Amino acid sequence: MGGPVIVMLVGAVCVVLGALAYAGLWRSWVHWNATTQVFGFGWLGLSMLSFGAALTQFDGPFLALAGVLMIVYVVSGIIGFCLMLGMLRWATPRWYRDRTRR
């Protein structure tokens, strides 16, 4: 398997975990760890996924798509990193903010 494929697979797993957390389908982690790190995994997974997809487009005819994917990579990486540090409460879902206010 090539490097971009592995990066995209790891990113996809992180995106699924983050999506489950954002949707509220996976709330059991709040009882033992009330930080925003799980939401950060979703954003960092999106960052890895877009980076892997951009790597596959640099040699092809869709160079502009690679540029857009690199912008998504940077922005989602910054949001994910900030969520991992516990910042950006506005980027958390309402159910999480309501539960941590109690």
Side-chain angles (χ1 to χ4, degrees), residues 58-71:
F58 277 120
D59 293 335
F62 303 111
L63 191 58
L65 177 62
V68 170
L69 287 171
M70 290 306 285
I71 291 170

Side-chain angles (χ1 to χ4, degrees), residues 66-87:
V68 170
L69 287 171
M70 290 306 285
I71 291 170
V72 172
Y73 161 68
V74 170
V75 172
S76 61
I78 291 170
I79 293 172
F81 183 70
C82 289
L83 281 170
M84 293 294 273
L85 294 178
M87 300 184 290

